[in-house]
Amino acid sequence: MATTHEPAAGTLSALLQEDRRYPPSDAFKAQANWNDPAIYQRAEADPEAFWAEQAKAIDWFKPWDRVLDWNVPEAKWFVGAQVNASYNCVDRHIKSWRRNKAAIIFEGEPGDARVLTYRDLYREVNRCAAALKRLGVKKGDRVAIYLGMVPELAIAMLACARIGAPHTVIFAGFSADSISDRVNDCGASFAITADGGWRRGSKIPLKDTMDRAMESCPTIQKVLVVNRTDDARQVPMKEGRDVWWHRALEESGAEIVEPEALDAEHPLYILYTSGTTGKPKGMLHTTGGYLVGTACSHKYVFDLKEEDVFWCTADVGWVTGHSYIVYGPLANGAACVMYEGSPDYPDKDRFWSIVEKYGVTILYTAPTAIRTFMRWGKEYPAKHDLTSLRVLGTVGEPINPEAWVWYREVIGLDRCPVVDTWWMTETGQILITPLPGITVLKPGSATFPFPGVKADVLDENGKSVPLGSGGYLVLQRPWPAMARTIWGDPERYKTQYWTRFPGNYFAGDGAKRDDEGYFWLLGRVDDVLNVAGHRIGTMEVESALVSHPAVAEAAVIGISHEVKGQALAAFATLRGGFTGDPAMVETLRNHVGEKIGAIAKPDKIFFTSELPKTRSAKIMRRLLRDIAEGKVLGDTTTLADPTVLASIKQQYEESE
Ligand code: 6R9
């Protein structure tokens, strides 16, 4: 069982003093997809009927026999139905005028741009599916995708979905070890990558990293390689294994691959996310319910209209990109902007230049990004016409009221509703969120559960806490896009999410409801950190550190960070003969980068001669957090050796 700790009391009272209110304007309300609060009561009266109603927005090859089979914690949605995600995201749109609507509006970091209409997307997805089939990919095979933010990423995902081969997308910032861990965990037999990708003006050598990973991936038979950076001559291609994407698709010509009629519960994808152990969990998402949940939430949370230009700035390597760049928006036939690179390249106004260039109407981004923009200053957004924007969204971490208000005023020109959306890799779809045509917004609050969703805040003993107090966030009813299990480890799925409060899904987040019932998310209560909106397990970073020959023991904690929300700090004890000097800090940071990826490099590393432990030898991270935050030390009675603390505290203060 994961250790849990109390959400910070200070954050809590500060949030609850927030008394600003933003009701929807009459004009917004009048045009909103949902503007009658009765939707909540209707959904609550019969949640299955509500989701069945939403499922009409999806095209099914065969209708369902039952909406839901629920044997805690096993859910089957739209039982007996047949469906295909690729068909829903592409084929059905080319049967209408949408065939010439922009599907993906791609902006490369160097400034190149490419617009794929739904017709173009259909052609490319078919060509890719045909190529995959020729290479030997069959229904049920796992395909690993390691690509930057280029249209080929969405094309590859949809091509896999078309033939019923679950994909596992691996964020392009992950290291070779992280790739091989994931590939081996799910036994992927095919991989798709690129020669490189663009980031801050430099080429990221994706193929090199992939090649290193492949040395320990015996199951991979073929690797398709996209030419993104024109490094074609410098990238070695392994005879018999590597195939250029453009050659393979050329060979496909105009071939059409009929989308497979898949069972609603057929695996759509596996996405790895950090948990409380050293090993990331492969969350398995299936097809029918996932499409219903993502399409419906996308349409109503963002008030999507046919003429909107939707831009979600996440990377497709995370769940936000899966649900709200690819499956939800494309199922809805939306025009989606996809940007490859960094927000400060070539200058700090890149996002705003993209909003202006494409007339973006809905922008969905992370609090970390907003806090970064605040720091850069208003002059960057001020250079551009942002009047096209009409809805703003945030996701990934708690947003502080100050950043929320800045976002609304400076980016939303004091008129766009801001929807703070809470959800997770495991939930697949947004679950706690305002509805912009209904909800009176409070800066910093994700407000209320989406219609049909039942959430509560429980105390230590599983009792619902009264309004006005805090505890553990749980979900008390299944929802269509929920992950079905952890790939290869159904037991872990049960113990991780469903045993802490039997019958409830335990999210791992702390939350509080105010006296009007608004939900305020307070961050993780387990050993998972949220650094710049990215989930990182303390155990993963600890195992990376101790895999270095110099490190005897390590403990990793989160420390508050003005922009990133949280940053990583590590306490390490070194083996004899090694010195804890600045060079060692660099060595270890790079080592973590090699083992996991740059996002997991600790901001700070402290060397201590010992770590505080319980009598059963469990490292007490709570005490390390107290030291790092300069707090009065909490309960130390369970420490095996209480004198250790004073010594660590002293060493910490000296090295600060
Ligand atoms: C979608 C996504 C999930 C964790 C989650 C929580 C945090 C996400 C949030 C939020 C406060 C929000 N989180 N949205 N916290 N307010 N609106 O981010 O998935 O990468 O799996 O992270 O992110 O702590 O538990 P994922």
Side-chain angles (χ1 to χ4, degrees), residues 476-506:
Q476 301 182 308
R477 186 189 288 150
W479 60 96
M482 65 198 287
R484 299 302 194 256
T485 191
I486 295 178
W487 181 266
D489 202 349
E491 247 346 276
R492 187 176 175 194
Y493 176 70
K494 283 185 196 155
T495 51
Q496 185 84 54
Y497 306 106
W498 298 93
T499 51
R500 176 77 177 81
F501 302 110
N504 294 259
Y505 170 89
F506 172 52

Side-chain angles (χ1 to χ4, degrees), residues 1-5 274-278 281 496 506 508-509 523-530 535-542 556-558 566 568 618-622 625:
M1 186 62 237
T3 52
T4 49
H5 56 82
S274 292
T276 49
T277 72
K281 306 170 279 194
Q496 185 84 54
F506 172 52
D509 277 300
R524 302 289 309 182
V525 291
D526 55 11
D527 293 328
V528 175
L529 303 177
N530 195 325
R535 266 166 84 172
I536 299 174
T538 51
M539 289 280 283
E540 274 175 85
V541 185
E542 287 168 10
V556 170
I557 58 162
Q566 278 189 309
L568 295 173
K618 233 178 148 308
I619 297 174
M620 295 188 72
R621 295 189 189 78
R622 173 173 60 82
R625 270 194 297 271

Side-chain angles (χ1 to χ4, degrees), residues 139-456:
K139 177 175 165 182
D141 288 344
R142 274 80 64 207
V143 178
I145 305 178
Y146 185 67
L147 281 171
M149 287 284 289
V150 289
E152 285 78 3
L153 175 49
I155 293 165
M157 291 162 77
L158 293 166
C160 289
R162 199 167 187 85
I163 51 189
H167 53 72
T168 186
V169 178
I170 302 167
F171 172 58
F174 277 130
S175 68
D177 281 2
S178 290
I179 299 174
S180 54
D181 285 351
R182 287 160 173 75
V183 165
N184 291 325
D185 186 80
C186 71
S189 38
F190 298 87
I192 303 175
T193 190
D195 55 345
W198 289 102
R199 190 80 196 170
R200 278 211 183 87
S202 310
K203 290 181 189 179
I204 304 296
L206 297 175
K207 177 69 163 58
D208 292 356
T209 309
M210 195 66 173
D211 284 345
R212 273 186 283 125
M214 289 302 104
E215 287 166 18
S216 47
C217 292
T219 53
I220 296 285
Q221 297 162 22
K222 301 276 180 198
V223 181
L224 257 186
V225 186
V226 174
N227 172 12
R228 166 61 186 142
T229 62
D230 263 327
D231 237 350
R233 259 157 300 155
Q234 284 137 50
V235 173
M237 297 288 280
K238 189 169 171 188
E239 193 57 48
R241 185 195 70 184
D242 299 349
V243 180
W244 282 109
W245 167 289
H246 56 276
R247 301 240 171 89
L249 265 67
E250 221 169 81
E251 207 182 317
S252 299
E255 198 178 327
I256 297 300
V257 174
E258 285 308 321
E260 290 271 336
L262 301 170
D263 189 273
E265 285 297 332
H266 187 79
L268 177 61
Y269 68 81
I270 301 162
L271 183 61
Y272 286 84
T273 187
S274 292
T276 49
T277 72
K279 195 171 154 331
K281 306 170 279 194
M283 301 313 306
L284 177 73
H285 283 285
T286 59
T287 310
Y290 180 79
L291 281 174
V292 172
T294 54
C296 164
S297 52
H298 179 250
K299 177 168 175 186
Y300 294 107
V301 170
F302 300 106
D303 191 48
L304 182 80
K305 299 291 174 0
E306 192 69 77
E307 53 281 12
D308 273 313
V309 177
F310 178 79
W311 182 21
C312 166
T313 71
D315 192 290
V316 174
W318 310 106
V319 75
T320 303
H322 281 64
S323 298
Y324 299 105
I325 295 179
V326 182
Y327 292 109
L330 296 177
N332 285 331
C336 306
V337 172
M338 184 175 190
Y339 171 54
E340 179 182 36
S342 161
D344 57 356
Y345 187 86
D347 204 350
K348 297 186 175 69
D349 64 341
R350 186 63 183 270
F351 270 29
W352 320 123
S353 91
I354 292 174
V355 168
E356 178 172 10
K357 179 171 174 189
Y358 299 112
V360 172
T361 58
I362 306 172
L363 178 68
Y364 191 29
T365 195
T368 289
I370 297 165
R371 289 190 292 263
T372 305
F373 300 140
M374 282 172 78
R375 232 179 34 168
W376 287 345
K378 291 182 186 167
E379 57 271 31
Y380 294 100
K383 283 187 201 166
H384 297 277
D385 179 3
L386 304 181
T387 53
S388 58
L389 289 170
R390 60 179 207 92
V391 178
L392 302 176
T394 77
V395 61
E397 38 175 334
I399 182 161
N400 46 313
E402 193 196 356
W404 193 104
V405 170
W406 188 92
Y407 192 31
R408 178 182 162 107
E409 288 178 352
V410 178
I411 306 304
L413 310 174
D414 210 10
R415 58 186 179 85
C416 297
V418 174
V419 289
D420 171 7
T421 64
W422 177 89
W423 60 294
M424 321 169 59
T425 306
E426 291 84 340
T427 73
Q429 67 183 89
I430 295 169
L431 292 185
I432 302 182
T433 176
L435 293 172
I438 297 177
T439 315
V440 176
L441 305 168
K442 298 185 185 181
S445 169
T447 74
F448 301 106
F450 191 81
V453 172
K454 191 160 182 246
D456 201 354

Side-chain angles (χ1 to χ4, degrees), residues 76-96:
K76 288 198 176 80
W77 281 89
F78 306 107
V79 185
Q82 287 182 343
V83 65
N84 185 289
S86 181
Y87 180 88
N88 272 280
C89 292
V90 188
D91 300 47
R92 61 171 176 163
H93 304 309
I94 67 157
K95 296 181 177 159
S96 74

